[in-house]
Amino acid sequence: MTGFLKTFGKGVLYVVLLPFIIAFIAIYMVYLLITFFVMLFNNIIMFFMGKSPLGDLKEDKEAKNIIEAKEKAFNENQDKQNQINQNTTNNSTITYNQNLYVSPNDLMEFFNQQANKNNQRVLDNQSFPEITKEDDPLFLESTKEGGNDNE
């Protein structure tokens, strides 16, 4: 009889407690569903902001501090280099252009400027002789053979 009362008592207990157990499981499922969607949208927002959804670890913070210190030192070094470069002015008169066609007069002017800077011999117009028709042996031979230069 004691076995029957134990089984009957467990049955009554289950019948009485079953609605509370089901209500607890249902409430817990709703809580988990809400938590899932909140975390989902939170992680999406954090992703597009460029942040880690889990936060920075201790090692990540230390690495970030080291990188920032090196960048700061590099930028300070660059600022010093820029100040040095600004103190030394460069008065260059030559500009570079991809489609620059240089005439002989421009070359002569450039070489004269370079020669003046280096105290060397200055080029003159005699350095670039012009070839005329009278100086061209092919022209003279073609006129002797009866060729006409007006053709």
Side-chain angles (χ1 to χ4, degrees):
M1 174 107 175
T2 58
F4 172 73
L5 289 177
K6 285 184 179 178
T7 307
F8 183 75
K10 286 181 184 178
V12 171
L13 187 63
Y14 289 146
V15 169
V16 171
L17 291 180
L18 186 62
F20 295 110
I21 294 172
I22 292 174
F24 174 77
I25 291 173
I27 291 171
Y28 189 68
M29 287 176 55
V30 170
Y31 165 76
L32 291 178
L33 190 64
I34 291 171
T35 304
F36 172 75
F37 283 112
V38 168
M39 293 298 293
L40 175 71
F41 292 122
N42 185 24
N43 288 340
I44 290 173
I45 291 170
M46 297 287 278
F47 173 77
F48 285 112
M49 289 176 61
K51 297 180 181 178
S52 174
L54 301 176
D56 291 336
L57 298 174
K58 177 182 164 188
E59 292 84 4
D60 293 335
K61 291 177 184 177
E62 290 175 4
K64 188 185 290 185
N65 290 338
I66 292 170
I67 291 171
E68 287 175 356
K70 287 186 178 183
E71 286 178 353
K72 183 178 178 184
F74 178 76
N75 290 337
E76 288 175 357
N77 189 16
Q78 288 295 102
D79 291 340
K80 289 178 184 177
Q81 289 293 331
N82 289 341
Q83 288 175 353
I84 291 170
N85 291 340
Q86 288 174 354
N87 292 338
T88 59
T89 58
N90 185 7
N91 296 329
S92 178
T93 58
I94 301 171
T95 57
Y96 296 98
N97 188 351
Q98 184 177 359
N99 297 324
L100 180 63
Y101 300 103
V102 181
S103 67
N105 290 334
D106 292 337
L107 279 176
M108 188 168 51
E109 181 181 336
F110 170 73
F111 288 132
N112 284 333
Q113 288 175 355
Q114 294 299 317
N116 288 337
K117 286 182 183 177
N118 298 330
N119 295 327
Q120 294 177 351
R121 184 177 66 107
V122 179
L123 301 174
D124 56 359
N125 288 335
Q126 301 300 325
S127 300
F128 298 103
E130 294 185 18
I131 298 176
T132 60
K133 290 183 179 180
E134 291 78 20
D135 295 336
D136 188 5
L138 295 176
F139 174 75
L140 293 175
E141 289 177 12
S142 64
T143 54
K144 288 179 184 175
E145 296 172 2
N148 190 356
D149 62 335
N150 293 331
E151 294 179 2

